[in-house]
Amino acid sequence: MITTKGLTKVYTSRGREVSALRGVDLHVREGEVYGVVGTSGAGKSTLIRCVNMLERPSAGTVTVDGVELTALRGSEHRAGRELRAARSRIGMVFQHFNLLSSRTVQENVELPLELTGLDRTARRRKAAELLDLVGLGDKARNYPSQLSGGQKQRVGIARALAGDPKVLLSDEATSALDPETTRSILKLLRDLNQQLGLTVLLITHEMDVIKSVCDSAALMRDGQIAEAGTLTDLLATDGSELARELFPLSEFGTGRPGGTVLEITFQGDASSQPFVSQLARTYQIDINILGAAVETIAGRLVGRMRVELPGSHQDNVVPIGFLREQGLQVDIISANGVLA
């Protein structure tokens, strides 16, 4: 649904060139919620603004729903009309709501419909349907100043849906909200994704957002994609930086000198298997559990455990092989007191 290839954006500031994006390749499948995470300055906002052509890339291509937007130029000619039509199928939700204070909630939602020339009766009917969809049917006559932050963001989402988009872009839509409100907005985005078949691309600096709502994710650093994939695949990938950020065990110990410390990741059916007791009985070894946690990530039960086995790595080759044969991901954290 969304594909970028070699996407590059260079700004000129005080005679110097600054590269915000450096050859970004991204693929978002139809119907998924895809998160892009990274620290400030990583290029996330520039990326999402290039996807809907609020910023024109310096190089590379952007294709949304089969239309290569970068091939269309904004002008009075046919290509300009095609670009506007393509952008109308992309909804955008902003961090700071961008609501007009002089308009009621309903009038804010109607605004994009006014710009398309839709008649007043049809506008009102459509806006009322959208406000019901986001749970604000009773706030239609209120003004933005009378709403909470979460309610304002719901109005912003309703407005973004006014053009019946196939794609919804979210630019740090929850970063200004408290945790409880953030959870409710994320649930709304997931519900809209499922009810309307929306493809959602969101950017965030919060790993909890990725964990709670996304199917796939990409880690951005210095204008590039450092790592990307479905959350399930990432969690099953040895050495995945995103997986470690999604499910950190850094607070747990690294064991005692002379032992081998393993980090075991299990998903789905494997989470119900008593593999620790099986390992202890089969090989008659004492296992020291240093820490464990279980969470739901992308709607799937995922667990991670850090254990210490007595002896060196070489002494534990067979037990480690046994764990991997059970479908578990096993990472060696340290052996003989030396970090791997």
Side-chain angles (χ1 to χ4, degrees):
M1 179 59 76
I2 303 173
T3 301
T4 71
K5 293 184 178 179
L7 198 63
T8 300
K9 179 63 179 179
V10 179
Y11 295 99
T12 301
S13 176
R14 298 180 180 179
R16 296 177 55 196
E17 290 190 346
V18 178
S19 295
L21 299 177
R22 306 167 185 265
V24 173
D25 294 335
L26 186 72
H27 180 64
V28 181
R29 296 171 300 175
E30 183 176 0
E32 76 173 340
V33 180
Y34 196 110
V36 178
V37 65
T39 58
S40 297
K44 308 185 303 296
S45 291
T46 302
L47 171 62
I48 207 167
R49 290 174 66 84
C50 284
V51 167
N52 68 357
M53 300 301 288
L54 287 175
E55 296 271 3
R56 180 163 284 276
S58 304
T61 62
V62 175
T63 302
V64 178
D65 193 23
V67 178
E68 186 183 327
L69 302 186
T70 39
L72 306 176
R73 307 296 301 186
S75 69
E76 297 302 319
H77 299 95
R78 177 182 175 185
R81 293 195 299 272
E82 290 175 345
L83 176 58
R84 289 192 293 274
R87 288 179 61 186
S88 71
R89 296 191 290 272
I90 303 173
M92 184 80 172
V93 184
F94 299 92
Q95 175 182 354
H96 297 296
F97 321 129
N98 292 343
L99 302 181
L100 297 178
S101 60
S102 60
R103 283 178 171 250
T104 65
V105 164
Q106 174 146 342
E107 290 168 343
N108 267 281
V109 177
E110 287 184 29
L111 180 58
L113 299 173
E114 288 180 34
L115 299 176
T116 63
L118 196 66
D119 68 79
R120 186 177 182 181
T121 301
R123 290 200 310 266
R124 287 185 171 181
R125 182 172 59 250
K126 180 69 172 180
E129 291 172 357
L130 292 171
L131 288 172
D132 283 338
L133 185 63
V134 300
L136 290 180
D138 60 338
K139 302 292 184 182
R141 296 185 178 181
N142 288 54
Y143 286 87
S145 61
Q146 299 172 296
L147 304 181
S148 67
Q151 290 171 333
K152 290 176 183 178
Q153 194 55 281
R154 286 173 181 267
V155 177
I157 292 171
R159 182 183 56 192
L161 297 175
D164 296 319
K166 293 186 176 182
V167 171
L168 184 65
L169 307 180
S170 170
D171 186 2
E172 298 274 14
T174 61
S175 63
L177 305 176
D178 63 78
E180 184 177 351
T181 305
T182 290
R183 285 191 290 272
S184 72
I185 294 297
L186 293 176
K187 183 180 183 303
L188 174 61
L189 290 176
R190 173 53 89 178
D191 290 344
L192 294 172
N193 159 256
Q194 295 173 344
Q195 293 172 23
L196 305 179
L198 275 175
T199 300
V200 181
L201 173 62
L202 61 87
I203 66 168
T204 182
H205 62 275
E206 299 173 286
M207 201 60 68
D208 282 345
V209 171
I210 300 294
K211 187 185 302 184
S212 63
V213 74
C214 294
D215 302 302
S216 300
L219 174 64
M220 281 200 78
R221 185 185 297 117
D222 297 327
Q224 297 177 306
I225 300 292
E227 187 179 13
T230 66
L231 298 197
T232 300
D233 288 346
L234 290 167
L235 288 166
T237 301
D238 289 347
S240 167
E241 184 177 348
L242 258 176
R244 291 191 180 280
E245 291 290 334
L246 282 167
F247 207 148
L249 288 181
S250 57
E251 66 272 21
F252 298 139
T254 55
R256 297 162 295 185
T260 298
V261 177
L262 309 177
E263 198 164 276
I264 304 169
T265 302
F266 43 94
Q267 302 185 49
D269 294 340
S271 63
S272 62
Q273 301 302 315
F275 55 85
V276 173
S277 59
Q278 289 175 351
L279 181 66
R281 287 197 308 269
T282 302
Y283 296 99
Q284 297 182 343
I285 56 178
D286 294 324
I287 301 172
N288 181 22
I289 298 176
L290 301 174
V294 177
E295 293 197 41
T296 300
I297 299 177
R300 185 181 177 90
L301 193 65
V302 179
R304 187 164 280 174
M305 178 180 291
R306 186 169 292 178
V307 303
E308 180 185 26
L309 306 183
S312 67
H313 177 211
Q314 189 63 35
D315 295 332
N316 289 294
V317 169
V318 174
I320 290 171
F322 169 83
L323 291 171
R324 288 174 172 159
E325 286 173 0
Q326 311 310 305
L328 304 169
Q329 178 189 333
V330 182
D331 295 318
I332 300 168
I333 302 302
S334 66
N336 298 320
V338 179
L339 294 177

